[in-house]
Amino acid sequence: MTIVLALPAGTEISKNISKELSLEHHIITHKLFPDGESYLRLPRNIKGQTVLLVQTTFPNQDKRLMELILAADACKEYGANEVIALIPYMAYSRQDKAFLEGEVVSIRAVLKSLRSAGIETLITVDIHKEESLRYFDGKAINVEPWQVFANVLGSDVKEDALVIAPDKGAEKRAATLAREIGVNYVVFSKYRDRITGEIRHEYKDIKLEGKHVIIVDDIISTGGTVADIAKFVSERGAKKVYAVASHGLFVRNAVRRLRESRVDEVYVLNTVPQKENVKVLDVSPAVVNVLKELI
Ligand code: R5P
């Protein structure tokens, strides 16, 4: 039998999934010690069970990861048959390579730690680079959410809409979303100064007059990447600009920045808790499809 155990940042999606799959659902008891360390207690005997731990890892990435490590270790020690972790947003995934000598490859360290804590199967949603999952020495599944976006956007955008990937890394996302909606896509180039972090785009000279444009990315953090492209396409006559991203972190007034760059609609998933006034789509159906094959 599989039971779902929600960690402090995993309750919403875990409830949706448990309901859909008729799985027993519990919330792990969670407190903070006076010095800020986490105290967790498993809510029931899990001996011989398959446990699905659910926890996203933003905000408070380090805390959320540590809680996952503590919970996974406890599940194994108390005799769980298998530990599966559903991590809707995988923190540290953007540091997947040492660009400068001595830089850490954060996602490698994080995935190794999760595995050694006892997580045998990892499910995440639209991880920054799917190839990073090779660092996890177990079964790892990346849930593609494009159908969820296409279901909503498909009826809204015009036939001659255009999907734009801000950089080569987002090409597969743009291609898949464009195919699901039945429109074309283009890929821009993005260059980042590795010391200052500053970004610069190389645009394509394309006809944008009167078009609906969908800018797609995995993450919106400060909003700089999408805002830059939104400004370019609006200046060239795009009629309506959509920003579509799996994970809306929205730091440093990102949403205001998007609006000021003439983004009309912002769509994200519920992979992280959301306070901003944007459209949030439920990724649970895509996760449920994956889980049906797994458990
Ligand atoms: C990085 O390559 C990611 O795919 C996103 O493009 C990036 O995280 C977006 O960050 P920001 O919103 O700060 O431009």
Side-chain angles (χ1 to χ4, degrees):
M1 194 177 86
T2 301
I3 52 177
V4 178
L5 298 187
L7 277 144
T11 42
E12 181 190 318
I13 286 187
S14 68
K15 279 185 187 151
N16 297 348
I17 286 165
S18 312
K19 195 163 165 224
E20 195 58 39
L21 295 171
S22 305
L23 299 174
E24 199 179 307
H25 178 275
H26 298 272
I27 295 176
I28 293 182
T29 305
H30 167 247
K31 285 192 287 195
L32 286 181
F33 286 111
D35 60 2
E37 289 178 2
S38 296
Y39 164 94
L40 301 178
R41 185 173 177 207
L42 303 186
R44 59 155 280 177
N45 180 359
I46 44 111
K47 197 169 170 59
Q49 312 286 347
T50 296
V51 175
L52 175 62
L53 288 175
V54 185
Q55 165 98 319
T56 199
T57 56
F58 181 87
N60 301 328
Q61 296 88 319
D62 299 357
K63 190 77 178 154
R64 303 281 92 110
L65 284 168
M66 182 49 83
E67 288 161 353
L68 259 171
I69 287 172
L70 298 176
D73 178 74
C75 288
K76 285 317 283 181
E77 287 297 319
Y78 280 104
N81 182 40
E82 189 190 352
V83 179
I84 305 172
L86 166 61
I87 308 176
Y89 170 69
M90 190 71 234
Y92 287 103
S93 60
R94 283 169 292 177
Q95 285 137 276
D96 58 359
K97 188 165 145 184
F99 294 95
L100 302 175
E101 179 66 22
E103 278 185 344
V104 297
V105 180
S106 309
I107 191 64
R108 182 178 61 210
V110 166
L111 292 179
K112 279 183 175 177
S113 308
L114 294 174
R115 179 68 190 92
S116 50
I119 294 168
E120 285 136 321
T121 301
L122 175 86
I123 304 167
T124 191
V125 177
D126 191 21
I127 189 167
H128 179 61
K129 270 207 195 104
E130 198 162 4
E131 305 87 279
S132 307
L133 292 173
R134 71 183 183 281
Y135 295 128
F136 184 78
D137 185 19
K139 190 175 169 105
I141 303 168
N142 186 38
V143 177
E144 301 251 356
W146 307 112
Q147 188 63 54
V148 172
F149 286 116
N151 287 347
V152 175
L153 287 167
S155 54
D156 202 11
V157 299
K158 288 200 311 185
E159 268 168 37
D160 69 340
L162 182 72
V163 177
I164 297 182
D167 55 27
K168 192 87 186 101
E171 176 163 7
K172 192 174 161 225
R173 295 181 178 96
T176 314
L177 182 63
R179 191 185 60 235
E180 299 285 351
I181 307 176
V183 300
N184 290 324
Y185 75 94
V186 289
V187 184
F188 285 178
S189 303
K190 179 163 96 176
Y191 302 94
R192 189 183 293 275
D193 184 315
R194 293 285 156 206
I195 307 290
T196 63
E198 208 173 301
I199 56 164
R200 180 176 63 78
H201 274 108
E202 202 166 89
Y203 313 104
K204 292 224 162 91
D205 190 17
I206 35 175
K207 203 176 155 290
L208 292 162
E209 194 75 31
K211 277 192 189 284
H212 283 187
V213 172
I214 303 166
I215 306 164
V216 65
D217 213 346
D218 55 334
I219 299 169
I220 299 178
S221 177
T222 64
T225 302
V226 171
D228 203 24
I229 293 172
K231 197 160 166 287
F232 171 82
V233 299
S234 319
E235 281 164 3
R236 274 153 191 80
K239 190 172 172 218
K240 191 162 180 188
V241 182
Y242 296 79
V244 169
S246 297
H247 317 289
L249 310 186
F250 302 128
V251 302
R252 295 196 212 138
N253 288 320
V255 173
R256 195 170 79 204
R257 190 171 184 183
L258 296 180
R259 301 286 182 213
E260 286 171 0
S261 314
R262 290 231 16 238
V263 171
D264 298 289
E265 303 273 11
V266 184
Y267 283 92
V268 293
L269 301 171
N270 57 348
T271 54
V272 297
Q274 203 49 259
K275 299 190 298 283
E276 299 291 342
N277 186 15
V278 294
K279 297 205 166 129
V280 181
L281 307 182
D282 182 16
V283 74
S284 310
V287 176
V288 163
N289 285 341
V290 166
L291 283 170
K292 275 184 184 156
E293 303 285 313
L294 195 70
I295 55 178

